[in-house]
Amino acid sequence: MSYLKADEQDESNLKKAGVNDLKSLIFLLGYSKEQRVRYFFAFFLVFLSSLVAIISARWTGYFVEEGLLPKDWDKASLWALGIFLLETLSVITSWWGRTTLADCAAKTVLSIRQSLFDHLQLLPVSYYDRQPQGRIMTRVTHDVEAIEDFFSAVLGRLFAAVMLAGIAAAGMMISNWKLGIVSLLAMVPAIALVFMTRNKVRVVNRDMSRLSAMLNARLAEFLSGVPVIRSFGLEKWSQDRYDDSVDQYLGAHLKANRLYSWSRPLISFFCSLPFVALVWYAGNQILAGVLGVGVFTAFIRYADRFFNPMQMLAREIHLIQQALTNSERVSVFLQEATESKTLGKDGDIEDVSLHGEVEFKNVSMAYAKENWVLKDVSFKLEAGECVGLVGTTGSGKTTTVSLLSRLYNYQKGSITIDDRPLEKYKRSFLRRSIGFVSQETILFRGSLRTNLTLEEEFSEETIDRAVQLTGLSKVMKAAGINLDSLILDNGANLSTGEKQLVSLTRILLRDPALLVLDEATANVDPAYEKVIQDALKVVMKGRTCLIIAHRLHTLEICDRILVFKNGELVEQGERRVLENAGGAFQSLVQAAERSSNYLE
């Protein structure tokens, strides 16, 4: 089974989510609650425009019947003036309704965009583990833009077309029900064809959307991996894989084009048949003296206002289907389980002073069913103690520290901090109380000050003190930068050592009770290693520390060592004791000494 989650457009996902066109549209329309009154007003204006247009069509019949045929120019002028005023009113109300609808649509889409970003903040880490970045980007960019087009343009045309066609059909039936039935029956082939091709259009649109997301995911992957691709000369390999994704996307487009190439012209042809049927049937009625010319003229206008919207709907059915596909994708994404569902109810303990005493009691954890990555792990950390976690890759070290922040759920056992169950703490408070320093530091485009404070309120004295304590001030002076200097995306204008010092200073400002270090000096050049080691001592002072150790000398600052193997805690104790115990740790040390002092 693939670790990556299947795309939302995968049929199994759609069936599981129980979504369809109507449900997706209704779900997204829920974001228009604040604009509901204005939407109804806009729809009323569009309805009024359609109604006035149909009245104008009937008046055209009177214009011919009572003005032109008897050559009564006064009545003809009066009817002509009335028709002009009605057409003008129809245009004004249509413009007013469409403008109002576009404004409401823009605000609705803004609400959807905000909800999408808010939802991104609430999704569990496990979701991001299994979703390609490009697929997520497609949801919040391409799919939302398509929905915006639907709400601002297609929805208005769709409603106007339905209203105009419906009122025109009613007008035809009221004026002459026989002619009305003939006209409506003549539309059956076009409607039947649209209905028969509906599912095919849906499938090709889903394929294009799914493959577009896959293409974006692959592009994002290759862009982030440019240094590796360039270093290993993998340009041809990456080009071939990207071309394969492009070919699949192109194939989906060509499949859609083949479908549209015969279905659209055929639908347009069938939409023209009612005119032929109308002229043939009405002509015979006029010749027989049963139907007046005025009614026939009105019927021509009715037919024009009925068949044109139907042709428009037939031409734009693919746009409507595409919008519904995007609505489906976004609605499924917005219904993805958040942390509250995957991790359970949030705790309510916050704003307490943590001492940092941590205890794991018989903890077992699996990312997938019965695939245990931690097995019956038990240990206790005293407040202020520094403990090293060692073991081969995949032994459970990172999973152990991830559980402390409640990034994932564990299935068995219990974890407590200061003798309180982990689940009792509010997740946001818990994460603020744990400082995490990894080998890779994430920095954002903005000033150095913003990257240190993350726009939280800190006094200048507090910031200056933290910068002095970690030694960042000396580095800043040597590099000729200050707190207001611009930091590029991901700290591109800083060295690895400088970025790590920024990370440590950022943590010191927040004064967490616990500190988790994932070999913070592993990728740092020797010139900065001493500076960062000194900064680490400052940040670690008085805090409970868990250090994921990859190198032997890192263990020198640890009071105790926990040794993991295959998800189990196999040894724990002081370093000098474990080195001579003849167990797993001694084997790791011996292997490390043979391979440049690395424990993995």
Side-chain angles (χ1 to χ4, degrees), residues 478-538:
I481 61 176
N482 56 50
L483 291 173
D484 296 315
S485 296
L486 176 66
I487 304 299
L488 299 179
D489 296 345
N490 208 26
N493 55 338
L494 298 179
S495 68
T496 302
E498 290 168 342
K499 289 193 286 187
Q500 202 65 281
L501 277 176
V502 173
S503 177
L504 289 169
T505 308
R506 186 160 61 190
I507 285 175
L508 185 61
L509 278 172
R510 279 153 186 76
D511 193 24
L514 291 90
L515 191 64
V516 175
L517 304 175
D518 187 0
E519 196 63 81
T521 61
N523 297 325
V524 178
D525 57 88
Y528 273 100
E529 189 165 0
K530 178 63 169 62
V531 178
I532 293 176
Q533 289 285 3
D534 292 340
L536 279 172
K537 292 176 183 177
V538 172

Coordinates of all heavy atoms in Angstrom, one line a residue, residues 478-538:
A478 N 29.7 40.8 13.0 CA 30.7 40.4 12.1 C 30.1 40.4 10.6 O 30.8 40.6 9.7 CB 31.2 39.0 12.5
A479 N 28.8 40.0 10.5 CA 28.2 39.9 9.2 C 27.6 41.3 8.7 O 27.2 41.4 7.6 CB 27.0 38.9 9.3
G480 N 27.7 42.3 9.6 CA 27.2 43.6 9.2 C 25.7 43.7 9.1 O 25.2 44.4 8.2
I481 N 24.9 43.0 9.9 CA 23.5 43.0 9.8 C 22.9 43.4 11.2 O 23.7 43.4 12.2 CB 22.9 41.6 9.5 CG1 23.3 40.6 10.5 CG2 23.3 41.2 8.1 CD1 22.6 39.2 10.2
N482 N 21.7 43.9 11.2 CA 21.0 44.2 12.5 C 19.6 43.6 12.5 O 19.2 42.9 11.6 CB 21.0 45.8 12.6 CG 20.3 46.4 11.4 OD1 19.2 46.0 11.0 ND2 21.0 47.4 10.8
L483 N 18.9 43.9 13.5 CA 17.6 43.3 13.7 C 16.6 43.7 12.6 O 15.6 43.0 12.4 CB 17.0 43.8 15.1 CG 17.7 43.2 16.3 CD1 17.1 43.8 17.6 CD2 17.5 41.7 16.3
D484 N 16.9 44.8 11.9 CA 15.9 45.2 10.8 C 16.4 44.8 9.4 O 15.8 45.1 8.4 CB 15.8 46.7 10.9 CG 15.1 47.2 12.2 OD1 14.1 46.5 12.5 OD2 15.5 48.2 12.8
S485 N 17.5 44.0 9.4 CA 18.0 43.5 8.1 C 17.1 42.5 7.5 O 16.4 41.7 8.2 CB 19.4 42.9 8.3 OG 20.3 43.9 8.7
L486 N 17.0 42.5 6.2 CA 16.1 41.5 5.5 C 16.7 40.1 5.4 O 17.8 39.9 5.1 CB 15.8 42.0 4.1 CG 15.0 41.1 3.2 CD1 13.6 41.0 3.7 CD2 15.0 41.6 1.7
I487 N 15.9 39.2 5.8 CA 16.2 37.8 5.7 C 15.4 37.2 4.5 O 14.2 37.4 4.5 CB 15.9 37.0 7.0 CG1 16.6 37.6 8.2 CG2 16.3 35.5 6.9 CD1 18.1 37.6 8.1
L488 N 16.1 36.5 3.6 CA 15.4 36.0 2.4 C 14.7 34.7 2.8 O 14.8 34.2 3.9 CB 16.4 35.8 1.3 CG 17.2 37.0 0.8 CD1 18.2 36.6 -0.3 CD2 16.2 38.1 0.3
D489 N 13.9 34.2 1.8 CA 13.2 33.0 2.0 C 14.1 31.9 2.5 O 15.1 31.6 1.9 CB 12.5 32.5 0.7 CG 11.5 33.5 0.2 OD1 11.1 34.4 1.0 OD2 11.1 33.4 -1.0
N490 N 13.6 31.2 3.6 CA 14.4 30.1 4.2 C 15.8 30.5 4.6 O 16.7 29.6 4.6 CB 14.4 28.9 3.3 CG 14.5 27.6 4.0 OD1 14.1 27.5 5.2 ND2 15.0 26.6 3.4
G491 N 16.0 31.8 4.8 CA 17.4 32.2 5.3 C 18.4 32.0 4.2 O 19.6 31.7 4.6
A492 N 18.1 32.3 3.0 CA 19.0 32.0 1.9 C 20.3 32.9 2.0 O 21.3 32.5 1.5 CB 18.4 32.3 0.5
N493 N 20.2 34.0 2.6 CA 21.4 34.9 2.8 C 22.1 34.7 4.1 O 22.9 35.6 4.5 CB 21.0 36.4 2.6 CG 19.9 36.8 3.5 OD1 19.1 36.0 4.1 ND2 19.8 38.1 3.8
L494 N 21.8 33.6 4.8 CA 22.5 33.3 6.0 C 23.2 31.9 5.9 O 22.7 31.1 5.2 CB 21.6 33.3 7.2 CG 20.8 34.6 7.6 CD1 19.9 34.3 8.8 CD2 21.8 35.7 7.9
S495 N 24.3 31.7 6.6 CA 24.9 30.4 6.6 C 24.1 29.5 7.6 O 23.3 29.9 8.3 CB 26.4 30.6 7.1 OG 26.4 30.9 8.5
T496 N 24.5 28.2 7.5 CA 23.8 27.2 8.4 C 24.0 27.6 9.8 O 23.0 27.5 10.6 CB 24.3 25.8 8.1 OG1 24.1 25.5 6.7 CG2 23.6 24.8 8.9
G497 N 25.2 28.0 10.2 CA 25.5 28.3 11.6 C 24.7 29.6 12.0 O 24.2 29.6 13.1
E498 N 24.6 30.6 11.2 CA 23.8 31.8 11.5 C 22.4 31.5 11.7 O 21.7 32.0 12.6 CB 24.1 32.8 10.4 CG 25.5 33.4 10.4 CD 25.7 34.2 9.1 OE1 25.0 34.1 8.1 OE2 26.7 35.0 9.1
K499 N 21.8 30.6 10.8 CA 20.4 30.2 10.9 C 20.2 29.5 12.2 O 19.1 29.7 12.9 CB 20.0 29.4 9.7 CG 19.9 30.2 8.4 CD 19.2 29.4 7.3 CE 20.1 28.3 6.8 NZ 19.4 27.6 5.6
Q500 N 21.1 28.6 12.6 CA 20.9 27.9 13.8 C 20.9 28.8 15.1 O 20.2 28.6 16.0 CB 22.0 26.8 13.9 CG 21.7 25.6 14.8 CD 20.5 24.8 14.3 OE1 19.4 25.2 14.5 NE2 20.8 23.7 13.7
L501 N 21.8 29.8 15.0 CA 21.8 30.8 16.1 C 20.5 31.5 16.2 O 20.0 31.8 17.3 CB 23.0 31.7 16.0 CG 24.3 31.2 16.5 CD1 25.4 32.2 16.1 CD2 24.3 31.0 18.0
V502 N 19.9 31.9 15.1 CA 18.6 32.6 15.0 C 17.6 31.7 15.7 O 16.8 32.1 16.5 CB 18.2 32.9 13.6 CG1 16.8 33.5 13.6 CG2 19.2 34.0 13.0
S503 N 17.6 30.4 15.3 CA 16.7 29.4 15.9 C 16.8 29.3 17.4 O 15.8 29.3 18.1 CB 16.9 28.0 15.2 OG 16.0 27.1 15.8
L504 N 18.0 29.2 17.9 CA 18.2 29.1 19.3 C 17.8 30.4 20.1 O 17.2 30.3 21.2 CB 19.7 28.9 19.6 CG 20.2 27.5 19.2 CD1 21.7 27.4 19.3 CD2 19.6 26.4 20.2
T505 N 18.1 31.5 19.5 CA 17.6 32.8 20.1 C 16.1 32.9 20.1 O 15.5 33.4 21.1 CB 18.2 34.0 19.3 OG1 19.6 33.8 19.2 CG2 17.9 35.3 20.0
R506 N 15.5 32.4 19.0 CA 14.0 32.4 19.0 C 13.4 31.6 20.1 O 12.4 32.0 20.7 CB 13.6 31.9 17.6 CG 12.1 31.9 17.3 CD 11.9 31.8 15.8 NE 12.4 30.6 15.2 CZ 12.5 30.4 13.9 NH1 12.1 31.3 13.0 NH2 12.9 29.2 13.4
I507 N 14.1 30.5 20.4 CA 13.6 29.6 21.5 C 13.8 30.2 22.8 O 13.0 30.2 23.7 CB 14.2 28.2 21.4 CG1 13.6 27.5 20.2 CG2 14.1 27.4 22.7 CD1 14.2 26.2 19.9
L508 N 15.0 30.9 23.0 CA 15.3 31.5 24.3 C 14.3 32.6 24.6 O 13.9 32.8 25.8 CB 16.7 32.1 24.2 CG 17.3 32.7 25.6 CD1 17.3 31.6 26.6 CD2 18.7 33.3 25.4
L509 N 13.9 33.3 23.6 CA 12.9 34.4 23.8 C 11.6 33.8 24.4 O 10.9 34.5 25.2 CB 12.6 35.1 22.5 CG 13.5 36.2 22.0 CD1 13.2 36.6 20.6 CD2 13.5 37.4 23.0
R510 N 11.2 32.6 24.0 CA 9.9 32.0 24.4 C 10.1 31.3 25.8 O 9.1 30.9 26.4 CB 9.4 31.1 23.4 CG 8.7 31.8 22.3 CD 8.7 31.2 20.9 NE 8.1 32.1 19.9 CZ 8.8 33.1 19.4 NH1 10.0 33.4 19.8 NH2 8.2 33.9 18.6
D511 N 11.3 31.1 26.2 CA 11.5 30.5 27.5 C 10.7 29.2 27.8 O 9.9 29.1 28.7 CB 11.2 31.5 28.6 CG 11.7 31.1 30.0 OD1 12.7 30.3 30.0 OD2 11.2 31.6 31.0
P512 N 10.9 28.2 27.0 CA 10.1 26.9 27.1 C 10.6 26.2 28.3 O 11.8 26.3 28.8 CB 10.4 26.2 25.8 CG 11.7 26.6 25.4 CD 11.8 28.1 25.8
A513 N 9.7 25.3 28.9 CA 10.1 24.5 30.0 C 10.9 23.3 29.6 O 11.7 22.7 30.4 CB 8.9 24.1 30.8
L514 N 10.6 22.8 28.4 CA 11.3 21.6 27.9 C 12.0 22.0 26.6 O 11.5 22.8 25.8 CB 10.4 20.4 27.6 CG 9.7 19.8 28.8 CD1 8.4 20.4 29.2 CD2 9.5 18.3 28.5
L515 N 13.1 21.3 26.3 CA 13.9 21.6 25.1 C 14.2 20.2 24.4 O 14.6 19.3 25.0 CB 15.2 22.3 25.4 CG 16.0 22.9 24.3 CD1 15.2 24.0 23.6 CD2 17.4 23.4 24.8
V516 N 13.9 20.2 23.1 CA 14.2 19.0 22.3 C 15.2 19.4 21.2 O 15.0 20.3 20.4 CB 12.9 18.5 21.6 CG1 13.3 17.3 20.7 CG2 11.9 18.0 22.7
L517 N 16.4 18.7 21.2 CA 17.4 19.1 20.2 C 17.7 17.9 19.3 O 17.9 16.7 19.8 CB 18.7 19.4 21.0 CG 18.7 20.5 22.0 CD1 20.0 20.7 22.7 CD2 18.3 21.8 21.3
D518 N 17.6 18.1 18.0 CA 17.9 17.0 17.1 C 19.2 17.3 16.4 O 19.3 17.8 15.3 CB 16.8 17.0 16.0 CG 16.9 15.8 15.1 OD1 17.9 15.0 15.3 OD2 16.1 15.6 14.2
E519 N 20.3 17.1 17.2 CA 21.7 17.3 16.8 C 21.8 18.6 16.1 O 22.0 18.7 14.9 CB 22.1 16.1 15.8 CG 23.6 16.1 15.6 CD 24.4 15.7 16.9 OE1 24.4 14.6 17.2 OE2 24.9 16.7 17.5
A520 N 21.7 19.7 16.9 CA 21.6 21.0 16.3 C 22.9 21.5 15.6 O 22.9 22.4 14.9 CB 21.3 22.0 17.5
T521 N 24.0 20.8 15.9 CA 25.3 21.2 15.3 C 25.8 20.3 14.2 O 26.9 20.4 13.7 CB 26.4 21.3 16.4 OG1 26.6 20.0 17.0 CG2 26.0 22.3 17.5
A522 N 24.9 19.3 13.8 CA 25.3 18.3 12.9 C 25.8 18.9 11.5 O 26.7 18.4 11.0 CB 24.2 17.3 12.7
N523 N 25.1 19.9 11.0 CA 25.4 20.4 9.7 C 26.2 21.7 9.8 O 26.3 22.5 8.8 CB 24.1 20.6 8.9 CG 23.4 19.3 8.7 OD1 24.0 18.3 8.5 ND2 22.1 19.4 8.7
V524 N 26.7 22.1 10.9 CA 27.3 23.4 11.1 C 28.9 23.2 10.9 O 29.5 22.3 11.4 CB 27.0 23.9 12.6 CG1 27.8 25.2 12.8 CG2 25.5 24.1 12.7
D525 N 29.5 24.2 10.3 CA 30.9 24.2 10.1 C 31.6 24.4 11.4 O 31.1 25.0 12.3 CB 31.3 25.2 9.0 CG 30.9 26.6 9.4 OD1 31.6 27.3 10.1 OD2 29.7 27.0 9.0
P526 N 32.9 23.9 11.5 CA 33.6 24.0 12.7 C 33.7 25.5 13.3 O 33.8 25.7 14.5 CB 35.0 23.5 12.4 CG 34.7 22.6 11.2 CD 33.6 23.2 10.5
A527 N 33.8 26.5 12.4 CA 33.9 27.8 12.9 C 32.8 28.3 13.8 O 32.9 29.1 14.7 CB 34.1 28.8 11.7
Y528 N 31.6 27.7 13.5 CA 30.4 28.1 14.3 C 30.0 27.1 15.4 O 29.2 27.4 16.2 CB 29.2 28.3 13.3 CG 29.1 29.6 12.7 CD1 29.5 29.8 11.4 CD2 28.5 30.7 13.4 CE1 29.4 31.1 10.8 CE2 28.4 31.9 12.8 CZ 28.8 32.1 11.5 OH 28.7 33.4 11.0
E529 N 30.6 25.9 15.3 CA 30.2 24.9 16.2 C 30.4 25.3 17.7 O 29.6 25.1 18.6 CB 31.0 23.6 15.9 CG 30.4 22.4 16.7 CD 30.9 21.1 16.2 OE1 31.6 21.1 15.2 OE2 30.5 20.1 16.8
K530 N 31.6 25.9 18.0 CA 31.8 26.4 19.4 C 30.8 27.4 19.8 O 30.3 27.4 20.9 CB 33.3 26.9 19.5 CG 33.7 27.5 20.8 CD 33.7 26.4 21.9 CE 34.3 26.8 23.2 NZ 33.7 28.0 23.8
V531 N 30.5 28.4 18.9 CA 29.6 29.4 19.2 C 28.2 28.8 19.5 O 27.5 29.2 20.5 CB 29.4 30.4 18.1 CG1 28.4 31.5 18.4 CG2 30.8 31.1 17.8
I532 N 27.8 27.9 18.7 CA 26.5 27.2 18.9 C 26.4 26.4 20.2 O 25.4 26.3 20.9 CB 26.1 26.4 17.7 CG1 25.9 27.4 16.5 CG2 24.8 25.6 17.9 CD1 25.6 26.8 15.2
Q533 N 27.5 25.7 20.4 CA 27.6 24.9 21.6 C 27.4 25.7 22.9 O 26.7 25.4 23.8 CB 29.0 24.1 21.7 CG 29.1 23.0 20.7 CD 28.3 21.8 21.1 OE1 27.6 21.8 22.1 NE2 28.4 20.7 20.3
D534 N 28.1 26.9 22.9 CA 27.9 27.8 24.0 C 26.5 28.4 24.1 O 26.0 28.5 25.2 CB 28.9 29.0 23.8 CG 30.4 28.6 24.0 OD1 30.6 27.6 24.6 OD2 31.2 29.4 23.5
A535 N 25.9 28.6 22.9 CA 24.5 29.1 22.9 C 23.6 28.0 23.4 O 22.6 28.3 24.2 CB 24.1 29.5 21.5
L536 N 23.9 26.8 23.1 CA 23.0 25.6 23.6 C 23.1 25.5 25.1 O 22.1 25.3 25.7 CB 23.5 24.3 22.9 CG 23.1 24.0 21.5 CD1 23.8 22.8 21.0 CD2 21.6 23.8 21.5
K537 N 24.3 25.7 25.7 CA 24.4 25.7 27.1 C 23.5 26.7 27.8 O 22.9 26.5 28.8 CB 25.9 25.8 27.5 CG 26.7 24.6 27.1 CD 28.2 24.9 27.4 CE 29.1 23.7 27.0 NZ 30.5 23.9 27.2
V538 N 23.5 27.9 27.1 CA 22.7 29.0 27.7 C 21.2 28.6 27.6 O 20.4 28.8 28.6 CB 22.9 30.3 26.9 CG1 21.9 31.4 27.4 CG2 24.3 30.8 27.2

